Each structure stands twice: as C-alpha cells, then as structure tokens.
Amino acid sequence: REAAVVSVDGKLHSIVGPGKRVLFWKAQANVTAEVIDFVANPEVSAAMLVAVERLSQSPMIGRAVVDEGKAGLLFIDNKLVRVLAPGKYGFWLYSGAPRVDVIDLRRQAIDVQGQEILTKDKVSLRVNILAEFQVVDPVKARQSVKDFQEHLHRALQLAVRQTLGKRTLEEVLAEKT
C-alpha cells in the first residue's frame, strides 16, 4: 500500500515500491524519504509529477494528459472518481488500476452517408445527413450508453427514416433543409 519517494540532497533520486529495499550511505549525502499511501492518495501531486518526469524513471506512475477543450474521467477500480480539467496528471499504478477516459467537449460533426429511404408515395430517396453536436455532460455521455457517437449516429438514421417516410416526395422537396 505504500511507496517511498527518496530524495538525495533535496533532489528526487528514486521511487521505491512495496516490498523493495534500497541502501544509502548517509555520511555522503542528506537522504530523506517520504512515505506515500497510494491507496489513500492515488494521485501524484503536480510538483512530484514534474520531478518524476525529469527523473524519467517511474514505472510505478501512470500519466494522463487532458488537452484543452476536453474533459478526463478518472476511474479507479472501474469506478468514476472525478472529472479532470485540462492538464497533466499522474497516478500511482498500484492504487487500483487507474484509467482516464478523455471526452472531447468541442463542437463536432457527424456524417451519415447514403441512406436509402422510401417516401409515403413509394419513391426511393438517397439522403446524406450532416449534424453537429457538442457534449455538455461528459459523465452522462460516458455512462448512459456504451459509445455515445455510435448511439447518435443510429438515432439520426432512425429519425430521418421516420421523418421522410411519413412525407411524399413533393413535401420533402418543398422542405429540403
């Protein structure tokens, strides 16, 4: 449940995982160790993350980057913990399999190509659909359906079929938009 962050002369030297030992000569340098309970604190602090990146030795730390215009959903043991704002994050890998799912919050377009639809007067039409959407609640988008973009794609297909199937060709041509 614990890891030790070892510093030598005030600089990060190494991270020692559970069940491991490291020996230092204290006479040569000032050696300190900070013990971290990674189950209670699964997230690595921003200051430590910067130091670990410079060290480039961190097999115990997983990293995630959430870009601007996106939101990250932090899952630990497959349970949603919180929503992450744009930035860099680090998590102890021993703390219950942390995972970050990134969801785009910007306006996006979805294209439904070549739908064959029969109108009310039995005329076959080929219709392409372009729709714009934007995710406003990333938690709901992730948890309500398996793949929200695929769900939206199918909902558009169904809506167009139902709408155009109830109209005649003249009605459809009169209201192209």
Side-chain angles (χ1 to χ4, degrees):
R1 293 181 52 108
E2 295 178 334
V5 179
V6 179
S7 298
V8 176
D9 291 330
K11 294 181 182 175
L12 180 65
H13 179 272
S14 60
I15 301 172
V16 182
K20 304 234 171 143
R21 294 180 188 202
V22 180
L23 300 173
F24 292 93
W25 290 103
K26 288 183 103 177
Q28 301 296 322
N30 181 22
V31 179
T32 59
E34 177 188 355
V35 177
I36 298 174
D37 182 350
F38 47 74
V39 174
N41 301 313
E43 196 166 341
V44 177
S45 70
M48 186 182 297
L49 189 60
V50 171
V52 167
E53 284 177 346
R54 274 190 252 128
L55 182 64
S56 75
Q57 172 212 356
S58 56
M60 295 177 32
I61 296 175
R63 293 177 186 80
V65 176
V66 179
D67 294 328
E68 193 65 38
K70 299 180 181 181
L73 301 178
L74 172 60
F75 291 89
I76 295 179
D77 285 334
N78 292 322
K79 294 178 187 167
L80 179 65
V81 175
R82 70 183 183 106
V83 177
L84 303 175
K88 287 183 179 182
Y89 298 90
F91 306 97
W92 296 103
L93 295 177
Y94 290 102
S95 63
R99 182 182 89 240
V100 176
D101 291 349
V102 178
I103 295 182
D104 200 334
L105 301 177
R106 299 171 295 183
R107 287 184 73 86
Q108 299 175 59
I110 191 166
D111 194 16
V112 180
Q113 292 289 327
Q115 293 292 301
E116 292 287 335
I117 299 169
L118 267 165
T119 62
K120 187 177 181 181
D121 53 354
K122 307 293 186 237
V123 176
S124 179
L125 297 176
R126 185 168 180 86
V127 180
N128 294 328
I129 307 159
L130 178 67
E132 289 186 349
F133 71 97
Q134 183 174 9
V135 175
V136 293
D137 185 351
V139 174
K140 193 172 184 181
R142 173 66 171 81
Q143 291 183 332
S144 60
V145 292
K146 182 178 178 181
D147 182 352
F148 67 89
Q149 288 181 319
E150 182 64 29
H151 182 77
L152 178 59
H153 187 270
R154 290 198 177 147
L156 284 170
Q157 287 178 324
L158 184 61
V160 167
R161 284 183 192 149
Q162 288 177 343
T163 303
L164 295 181
K166 295 177 183 176
R167 297 173 187 226
T168 64
L169 179 61
E170 280 185 27
E171 294 171 335
V172 170
L173 292 175
E175 300 177 33
K176 283 187 207 177
T177 58

